[in-house]
Amino acid sequence: LSFNAKVNTSNSYLDSLKILSSASKEPHASKKTVRIIPQSAERILDAPDFIDDYYLNVVDWSANNHLAVALDSTVYIWNANNGAITPLFECTGGEYISSLRWIPGGGEHLAVGLNSGQVQLWDVAQAKRSRVMAVTADSSRVASLAWNQYILSSGCRSGSILHSDVRVANHMVAASNQHTQEVCGLVWSPDGKYLASGGNDNLVCVWSGQGGQCFAGQQPNLVIREHQSAVRAVAWCPWQPAVLATGGGASCRAIKIWNCNSGKQVTSLDTKSQVCSLVWNENYHELVSSHGHPHFEINLWKYPAMKKVGELKGHTGRVLQLCQSPDTSTLLSAGADETLRLWNLFPIEEKKKEAKKKESWNALTMGMR
């Protein structure tokens, strides 16, 4: 795991993305801030042996600004604060990493799912394994992980979703069964009330916490059957907790937006390409999608109109996974071309300036009334 360009440790990742302010040619027109979509990634991280598997989830960025990435049987940690790259551990005996997920809230613990059906918890600060949990009885791989406080939910190739309380010895507290094939997308809503799952059986399920607990019940509240292919891309809107975005695979190619309170579809659009991953950006109210065959690109959509506002190109293989830096300013894309790319996509300082300018203008107009 290495950069193919020298790491810039002088500042954060916001340096290269430029913002232009241009005045309209029309008289008396107010100035507009024009956002420039980057035409290339600011940094490219070489990732040899990155597994080209649509169903795996092997990249995650922690609240402490540490990026975890699995390259076949080895987990690496990239410290985005200083550019240091260190291996955490390597599997043996033919095992490989099938999923990763940092504990939320700034902790240093990383959950790692294996193809053997095992989930390990690692204290990254100490570089020590703190726990091993045999999650699946049939040794089916764990392709997706999702935290809800102290509950770790595991999506398995068998179709089961298993919930573990990592605080206690007998960790298995519940199982959620609806999917008949691999659960490749799994995410809890921002408020921790709902769990969304996507599977290779083309289903999306929404589960509520059982009896106010942090784990889901046995039966889903909502089953969505409108996708025509596997659903790996599932993402909750951070500012509208009941809104869920889902994306279908190669035979579907659709992004769909759902109101999970009513169970109704809000929007559907054909992206003309396999949807691999979805990420929301709250500051810009945009949804980012990454794609596989036939177009290996990243698209930006303005919500709620779902108008395409930009595209990022550079990957030469499927763009399998997206994640954001803790401040949401930088997007990371992981590709089957064995590269990780960092895009300065959502500059925060400019957004703050716009908000402050708008606030000042509102105060001025109020004073003129």
Side-chain angles (χ1 to χ4, degrees):
L1 185 69
S2 62
F3 278 113
N4 60 17
K6 186 178 179 181
V7 177
N8 177 13
T9 59
S10 63
N11 207 339
S12 183
Y13 2 82
L14 301 176
D15 298 337
S16 68
L17 192 61
K18 297 179 180 179
I19 299 295
L20 297 181
S21 296
S22 60
S24 173
K25 294 181 179 180
E26 298 179 10
H28 309 295
S30 60
K31 291 185 177 180
K32 293 182 178 180
T33 300
V34 179
R35 174 166 158 235
I36 300 298
I37 305 297
Q39 297 302 302
S40 60
E42 188 208 4
R43 298 179 182 178
I44 301 175
L45 185 64
D46 287 322
D49 298 324
F50 187 87
I51 299 177
D52 182 8
D53 190 325
Y54 178 77
Y55 303 99
L56 305 187
N57 294 272
V58 292
V59 176
D60 197 27
W61 207 327
S62 78
N64 289 342
N65 211 15
H66 293 164
L67 180 74
V69 56
L71 303 182
D72 192 27
S73 59
T74 305
V75 176
Y76 292 89
I77 306 297
W78 174 55
N79 186 333
N81 297 308
N82 59 24
I85 299 171
T86 55
L88 180 63
F89 78 97
E90 182 178 3
C91 298
T92 59
E95 290 184 326
Y96 63 86
I97 313 299
S98 51
S99 54
L100 295 171
R101 185 69 69 183
W102 289 99
I103 193 169
E108 288 287 353
H109 282 84
L110 178 70
V112 182
L114 305 182
N115 67 314
S116 61
Q118 190 181 91
V119 173
Q120 300 182 4
L121 298 182
W122 281 81
D123 183 339
V124 175
Q126 301 297 322
K128 290 178 61 177
R129 188 174 67 185
S130 55
R131 183 160 192 182
V132 177
M133 299 184 294
V135 173
T136 62
D138 58 355
S139 298
S140 65
R141 72 179 182 184
V142 179
S144 53
L145 295 166
W147 286 96
N148 192 15
Q149 298 185 39
Y150 49 85
I151 295 295
L152 179 62
S153 302
S154 305
C156 307
R157 176 173 262 175
S158 63
S160 294
I161 303 171
L162 306 174
H163 308 284
S164 299
D165 186 338
V166 300
R167 304 171 301 174
V168 296
N170 297 323
H171 58 87
M172 197 69 65
V173 293
S176 303
N177 293 295
Q178 178 69 37
H179 293 282
T180 57
Q181 296 186 44
E182 187 161 32
V183 178
C184 46
L186 197 63
V187 61
W188 280 93
S189 60
D191 57 12
K193 294 181 179 179
Y194 297 99
L195 176 69
S197 59
N200 193 36
D201 53 6
N202 306 352
L203 296 183
V204 175
C205 297
V206 178
W207 319 72
S208 63
Q210 183 175 349
Q213 298 291 333
C214 297
F215 52 86
Q218 295 183 357
Q219 299 298 322
N221 291 37
L222 176 65
V223 179
I224 297 169
R225 306 178 186 274
E226 276 69 17
H227 284 287
Q228 306 304 312
S229 190
V231 182
R232 181 188 176 278
V234 288
W236 292 98
C237 179
W239 65 94
Q240 293 182 339
V243 172
L244 178 70
T246 61
S251 299
C252 179
R253 305 181 179 186
I255 294 175
K256 298 179 183 290
I257 309 294
W258 306 90
N259 182 329
C260 292
N261 286 335
S262 65
K264 294 182 178 180
Q265 180 178 287
V266 178
T267 306
S268 180
L269 61 92
D270 183 2
T271 69
K272 310 296 183 184
S273 194
Q274 179 187 41
V275 183
C276 298
S277 187
L278 293 169
V279 169
W280 293 91
N281 186 276
E282 185 171 4
N283 290 327
Y284 284 75
H285 281 207
E286 291 177 0
L287 180 67
V288 188
S289 60
S290 71
H291 299 273
H293 304 291
H295 307 298
F296 309 137
E297 62 186 17
I298 302 166
N299 291 323
L300 282 72
W301 310 91
K302 191 67 178 179
Y303 179 80
M306 293 304 291
K307 178 182 177 182
K308 189 174 179 179
V309 295
E311 59 185 33
L312 309 177
K313 296 184 177 181
H315 281 286
T316 58
R318 294 191 295 179
V319 190
L320 292 167
Q321 197 171 346
L322 300 174
C323 60
Q324 290 184 108
S325 60
D327 64 2
T328 75
S329 65
T330 299
L331 181 78
L332 179 130
S333 58
D337 57 3
E338 298 186 337
T339 66
L340 308 180
R341 296 172 186 252
L342 293 161
W343 309 84
N344 289 334
L345 196 55
F346 301 110
I348 291 178
E349 290 305 316
E350 289 298 327
K351 204 65 181 174
K352 287 180 180 178
K353 289 177 184 178
E354 288 180 28
K356 189 173 182 180
K357 188 181 295 184
K358 185 176 180 181
E359 190 177 291
S360 300
W361 174 254
N362 289 340
L364 178 61
T365 54
M366 287 179 65
M368 294 170 63
R369 291 175 185 171

